[in-house]
Amino acid sequence: MIRREGKRPKKGGERGSSERERERSGSRSGLTMRPRPIGRNPHELYYLRMQRMREKTDKMEESKAMRKLRVCVATCNRADYSKLAPIMFGIKANPDEFELEVVVLGSHLIDDYGNTFRMIEQDDFDIGSKLHTIVRGEDEAAMVESVGLALVKLPDVLHRLRPDVLVVHGDRFDALALATAAALMNIRILHLEGGEVSGTIDDSIRHAISKLAHYHACCTRTAEQHLIAMCEDHTRILLAGCPSYDKLLAAHHRDDYMDIIRNWLGDNVKEDNYIVALQHPVTTDIKNSIKIYELMLDALISFNKRTLVLFPNIDAGSKEMVRVMRKKGVEQHPNFRAVKHVPFEQFIQLVCHAGAMIGNSSCGVREAGAFGTPVINLGSRQTGRETGENVLHVRDADTQNKIYHALELQFGKRYPCSKIYGDGNAVPRILKFLQTIDLDEPLQKTFCFPPVKEWDISQDIDHILETQSALAVDLGGTNLRVAIVSMRGKIVKKYTQTNPKTYEARIELILKMCTEAVFDAVHLNCRILGVGVSTGGRVNPQEGVILHSTKLIQEWSSIDIRTPISDALHLPIWVDNDGNCAALAEKKFGHGKGVENFVTIITGTGIGGGIIQHNELIHGSTFCAAELGHIMVSLDGPECMCGSRGCIEAYASGMALQKEAKRLHDEELLEVEGMVDLKKAESISAIHLINAARLGNRKAEAVLRTAGMALGVGIVNILHMVNPSLVILSGVLAAHYQAPVQQVIDQRALTSAQGIQVLTSDLEEPALLGAASMVLDYTTRRIY
């Protein structure tokens, strides 16, 4: 049989009579043959065929490049829609890149839970399929049957839609059905919020979905590390942040928030004077979770504040919780408003401006942190979640009084804004990640079994090394300094300005310098985890308030420094005294690393310090512990700036030495042979006194000897009180005092304390490093 060349015959009625005639003749002869075109040789025909093949290949590649990625987003309930909606809007806004399909199932379609599919339609999304998958009963068997029903219905939908990627969120049993069906039908899966830990059956479901998923968009570095430890391929893991934070951080400062509050809670409700309550059943301990729910309602009734109560989700045990709520008359109680659903944009405003949020919803430990809203987390449902300092955990909520006391502690407080779960840029990262998916890659997952990546190495959106860093602020008497400090204590970049004299100018400059540093950090590939502030004076680190400042910094008493910085940068803020910061710097980066008990003493313009006892910084009941410069070493010594006499600072500080240098200069007893002509000096300082003593000036030597003796006696008192194993001298005068202090200890300390070593600090910037260490080492989890 001879192979036919050239174009294929036209279809049906398009074929001409001559072609049909040739076919008939060919069939009669048993041959299918086309005459060779006149005037063309075999070589020319070969090159024509090759040209047509190249054109066909080019068209196929062009068609492939122009093909849109078909993304199916499946949403099961009101909670996961709040995370998925920002992604859906992002996909819809890029019609040249993506084709969006929406599947709705689960409690979205149940009247008792608000028929929340309507809010998807109100957002102008076309719902491709609505699947009624919930078997009512609200018990364990009903959950299993619901998964089975979803698995029966999903294959037809997925076969009809034929998505390239299915986007699944979280840890619901509906999502497990989605992931199972898609994996068995060879559809790529992108799982959102995998790798997290919450302590209930949700953990098992979440991790099961992660093992079925081909790609992961997680919220925190810890979640990323968990996924890697689960042998997921780190090149398919995106550290994106939580998509809901994109909307939270952009929209929570709405002008009409009071209208929203009044609409849901009544006209007489004020901002920060109401509670949002949202408690779900724990499927692994239904009986205890119902008991906690009952105790929570009793505590809220006794607390007597206006409260918005949201119905629980559809998990096993929810029906019993609703019965408890109705038995207590919550829906008729004048202080309560019970609702099945609140639109997410309005829910943001209600949580943002609440006096407190209570329950066990993930919203409390995640989204509420973005606003600094105080949260009481009840029971075990969120055990293991990363939380900001705004969350107070009541693990064993076994009495009404315990919950009531937690409400008293938390209600009406404000905490620093936490960005543990996102920085407001998750959606652009996820869209970019979707664009990188290669549909020609093998569909079969491969699992990785290397050791977990080191803590300071991870992948950002562009898969490049990113340095975890802190922003450090040092408020000195002369200069205001800001620095980007890496986890290893390296100062990546430093900014210095003269410290303004007024409060307004100082705050404005701090915000300007911090904003500039945050902007530069992006280009320096540094991820800013928070801001640490070191300042002179007495500080309440719990509230972020400077109680009393030194005389060197004017208009700096009773100042809330945390709030304006937190509001401007949306980062957590820590504040402490500069002496305490110096101790923290030594503990993390200096001689105090690994030492359980030590004292740091700053010898500079003033005398200060910090005490580390059992690895913890000592603040004292009124935050004036470690005011080491004001230990009295003489009853009738020189007057100190604090108003007392005989303090260490009055003898050994830079100001005290400068005062003595000026006195000797005025008496013409300071200058000696070999010194620079002091008449040409702009001002007399402690350095002139030290230089004079080095050149043999007996008077200057006597002043320094007295100063060293005073500091040494003060340190002996410290040794006898707190018994540290190490003393670290820091500051510009440290090197001059080390030998005399060690000599006084050897002569005057108890025998058991004489062996304690005195070292000078090797750190060049203890205040900045200490401020950074508050951010880098602070543990944000609080347990009641």
Side-chain angles (χ1 to χ4, degrees):
M1 185 174 182
I2 300 173
R3 183 167 55 86
R4 287 161 46 182
E5 296 176 351
K7 295 183 179 178
R8 290 178 299 174
K10 298 178 183 178
K11 294 182 181 179
E14 294 180 355
R15 293 184 298 174
S17 59
S18 61
E19 288 181 292
R20 289 195 294 272
E21 182 62 29
R22 280 196 299 271
E23 286 182 3
R24 283 194 296 271
S25 63
S27 64
R28 286 193 298 269
S29 65
L31 300 175
T32 304
M33 184 173 180
R34 181 172 295 175
R36 178 182 295 172
I38 298 173
R40 292 184 177 177
N41 60 41
H43 295 291
E44 185 180 0
L45 289 173
Y46 171 78
Y47 286 114
L48 283 171
R49 286 199 302 271
M50 294 299 296
Q51 183 178 358
R52 290 192 190 105
M53 289 176 64
R54 282 195 297 270
E55 289 173 354
K56 184 178 180 180
T57 302
D58 291 342
K59 287 180 179 178
M60 289 176 63
E61 291 181 354
E62 183 179 353
S63 174
K64 180 181 174 182
M66 294 176 63
R67 185 175 180 273
K68 300 177 184 178
L69 187 73
R70 184 185 287 251
V71 180
C72 178
V73 178
T75 172
C76 310
N77 54 59
R78 67 191 181 197
D80 77 6
Y81 182 65
S82 69
K83 315 293 179 64
L84 293 168
I87 300 173
M88 293 162 66
F89 279 115
I91 292 172
K92 190 175 180 181
N94 290 272
D96 295 337
E97 302 287 342
F98 304 105
E99 184 178 340
L100 176 64
E101 296 288 349
V102 180
V103 173
V104 172
L105 65 158
S107 61
H108 272 308
L109 303 170
I110 297 179
D111 181 65
D112 286 351
Y113 294 88
N115 280 328
T116 50
F117 73 91
R118 294 196 183 100
M119 66 182 179
I120 304 173
E121 295 175 335
Q122 290 169 0
D123 286 340
D124 201 26
F125 290 114
D126 294 327
I127 299 176
S129 294
K130 296 177 184 175
L131 297 180
H132 292 270
T133 58
I134 296 299
V135 176
R136 300 304 301 271
E138 285 77 21
D139 58 14
E140 296 93 333
M143 292 168 63
V144 176
E145 291 168 357
S146 297
V147 172
L149 183 58
L151 287 171
V152 169
K153 293 186 174 185
L154 279 167
D156 287 341
V157 173
L158 295 176
H159 182 75
R160 174 171 55 83
L161 297 179
R162 295 187 180 278
D164 297 318
V165 179
L166 176 70
V167 179
V168 178
H169 168 269
D171 49 31
R172 306 294 301 144
F173 57 83
D174 323 69
L176 178 60
L178 282 161
T180 302
L184 292 172
M185 295 183 71
N186 292 326
I187 296 170
R188 289 172 168 81
I189 302 165
L190 171 63
H191 184 210
L192 303 181
E193 299 187 6
E196 297 183 15
V197 177
S198 59
T200 65
I201 189 64
D202 294 351
D203 277 349
S204 300
I205 295 175
R206 186 186 309 109
H207 300 332
I209 296 172
S210 292
K211 301 314 295 180
L212 292 168
H214 303 81
Y215 306 95
H216 310 272
C218 58
C219 297
T220 69
R221 291 192 179 278
T222 300
E224 179 192 36
Q225 294 297 317
H226 288 164
L227 287 170
I228 295 170
M230 290 163 61
C231 305
E232 295 298 309
D233 184 351
H234 70 84
T235 64
R236 293 189 173 194
I237 301 172
L238 171 70
L239 177 56
C242 182
S244 65
Y245 265 59
D246 292 24
K247 186 174 289 188
L248 291 177
L249 298 177
H252 78 272
H253 288 300
R254 278 175 52 166
D255 295 333
D256 62 344
Y257 71 90
M258 281 307 302
D259 295 333
I260 295 171
I261 293 171
R262 294 189 186 104
N263 179 52
W264 290 98
L265 289 160
D267 294 336
N268 297 324
V269 176
K270 297 180 180 179
E271 181 181 1
D272 295 335
N273 199 36
Y274 63 90
I275 297 169
V276 175
L278 180 52
Q279 179 88 356
H280 299 303
V282 177
T283 57
T284 51
D285 193 2
I286 295 174
K287 184 176 179 181
N288 187 52
S289 65
I290 294 169
K291 177 186 175 184
I292 292 174
Y293 187 64
E294 185 173 4
L295 293 172
M296 179 191 77
L297 293 177
D298 288 338
L300 288 169
I301 292 169
S302 300
F303 200 66
N304 200 31
K305 293 290 182 183
R306 192 79 171 119
T307 303
L308 180 71
V309 180
L310 278 83
F311 276 56
N313 64 21
I314 201 168
D315 283 351
S318 60
K319 186 184 295 184
E320 288 83 354
M321 293 176 73
V322 173
R323 287 198 193 102
V324 168
M325 181 176 67
R326 288 174 173 159
K327 181 180 178 181
K328 292 187 177 294
V330 167
E331 291 170 299
Q332 292 77 38
H333 196 287
N335 270 349
F336 286 80
R337 172 88 188 275
V339 298
K340 295 176 180 177
H341 167 67
V342 179
F344 184 66
E345 293 79 3
Q346 299 182 37
F347 187 63
I348 291 172
Q349 305 303 316
L350 292 167
V351 173
C352 175
H353 300 284
M357 184 175 183
I358 189 170
N360 64 1
S361 169
S362 62
C363 176
V365 298
R366 295 168 64 99
E367 283 83 354
F371 316 126
T373 301
V375 172
I376 299 107
N377 178 52
L378 303 178
S380 61
R381 189 170 185 263
Q382 302 301 334
T383 299
R385 289 270 194 200
E386 297 172 78
T387 63
E389 60 177 305
N390 65 309
V391 180
L392 180 63
H393 298 281
V394 186
R395 309 286 193 206
D396 299 317
D398 51 359
T399 66
Q400 174 187 336
N401 286 340
K402 188 178 286 189
I403 300 173
Y404 186 90
H405 184 52
L407 283 166
E408 287 184 317
L409 289 173
Q410 287 286 78
F411 186 78
K413 283 188 176 182
R414 281 290 128 184
Y415 289 92
C417 301
S418 168
K419 296 174 77 174
I420 293 173
Y421 287 96
D423 59 3
N425 296 300
V427 172
R429 292 174 180 141
I430 291 171
L431 295 182
K432 185 175 179 180
F433 190 58
L434 284 169
Q435 290 172 338
T436 65
I437 292 177
D438 184 359
L439 298 179
D440 291 331
E441 281 186 341
L443 188 66
Q444 176 60 49
K445 281 187 68 171
T446 56
F447 297 100
C448 302
F449 298 93
V452 177
K453 291 188 299 179
E454 293 181 7
W455 59 270
D456 60 344
I457 302 176
S458 58
Q459 306 263 343
D460 69 0
I461 179 61
D462 294 317
H463 307 290
I464 58 177
L465 187 64
E466 185 177 58
T467 305
Q468 289 182 311
S469 306
L471 208 59
V473 180
D474 176 33
L475 284 148
T478 305
N479 292 324
L480 172 57
R481 302 184 301 157
V482 174
I484 302 170
V485 182
S486 74
M487 185 67 78
R488 297 184 184 275
K490 177 185 176 183
I491 295 180
V492 180
K493 189 170 183 179
K494 185 166 64 175
Y495 312 77
T496 304
Q497 295 282 347
T498 302
N499 196 347
K501 300 300 182 184
T502 64
Y503 165 77
E504 290 80 6
R506 188 174 298 123
I507 288 292
E508 182 180 355
L509 182 58
I510 291 171
L511 297 180
K512 178 182 177 182
M513 294 173 72
C514 287
T515 302
E516 180 184 354
V518 169
F519 178 81
D520 289 346
V522 176
H523 302 287
L524 294 168
N525 200 31
C526 294
R527 184 181 181 91
I528 301 298
L529 304 178
V531 182
V533 180
S534 167
T535 182
R538 189 163 65 96
V539 176
N540 180 344
Q542 297 172 3
E543 303 292 340
V545 174
I546 300 162
L547 301 173
H548 299 292
S549 179
T550 64
K551 293 182 179 180
L552 297 174
I553 309 178
Q554 301 171 11
E555 297 186 19
W556 207 235
S557 295
S558 301
I559 299 297
D560 177 5
I561 185 67
R562 171 183 286 170
T563 299
I565 302 177
S566 177
D567 288 347
L569 302 182
H570 298 293
L571 287 169
I573 313 296
W574 290 270
V575 188
D576 214 328
N577 167 270
D578 52 4
N580 289 335
C581 286
L584 291 173
E586 293 294 339
K587 182 176 184 294
K588 184 168 181 63
F589 304 114
H591 294 306
K593 192 171 184 178
V595 180
E596 187 176 3
N597 303 292
F598 69 90
V599 174
T600 298
I601 298 170
I602 300 177
T603 58
T605 306
I607 300 288
I611 300 173
I612 301 293
Q613 194 77 1
H614 302 302
N615 290 315
E616 295 292 335
L617 185 65
I618 304 299
H619 284 101
S621 60
T622 57
F623 311 107
C624 67
E627 286 290 349
L628 306 180
H630 300 290
I631 293 175
M632 294 178 64
V633 292
S634 173
L635 297 177
D636 56 354
E639 186 177 359
C640 182
M641 289 185 69
C642 70
S644 184
R645 286 184 172 275
C647 297
I648 296 175
E649 189 168 291
Y651 285 102
S653 67
M655 288 189 299
L657 297 183
Q658 181 183 37
K659 182 178 178 181
E660 288 298 303
K662 288 180 177 178
R663 179 181 64 79
L664 292 176
H665 180 257
D666 292 342
E667 296 174 3
E668 298 183 352
L669 297 174
L670 182 62
E671 192 169 351
V672 294
E673 186 177 351
M675 288 184 67
V676 178
D677 188 359
L678 296 181
K679 294 178 181 178
K680 297 179 181 180
E682 293 183 5
S683 63
I684 302 300
S685 67
I687 298 299
H688 295 115
L689 183 75
I690 293 169
N691 288 338
R694 189 180 292 118
L695 293 170
N697 187 319
R698 298 291 181 84
K699 297 288 186 181
E701 287 177 353
V703 171
L704 288 178
R705 190 163 47 250
T706 301
M709 175 69 74
L711 181 60
V713 169
I715 290 175
V716 167
N717 291 334
I718 296 169
L719 300 184
H720 293 168
M721 283 188 288
V722 297
N723 193 214
S725 56
L726 177 66
V727 175
I728 303 171
L729 298 180
S730 180
V732 294
L733 300 173
H736 303 287
Y737 284 137
Q738 182 185 18
V741 166
Q742 189 72 65
Q743 185 178 7
V744 173
I745 291 174
D746 294 341
Q747 293 174 351
R748 295 179 175 249
L750 293 173
T751 305
S752 57
Q754 287 180 0
I756 294 172
Q757 193 176 11
V758 179
L759 300 177
T760 57
S761 175
D762 294 333
L763 302 179
E764 294 183 3
E765 298 285 0
L768 287 173
L769 292 177
S773 71
M774 289 191 289
V775 178
L776 301 174
D777 277 354
Y778 188 80
T779 174
T780 58
R781 191 151 300 141
R782 299 169 62 218
I783 298 179
Y784 178 73

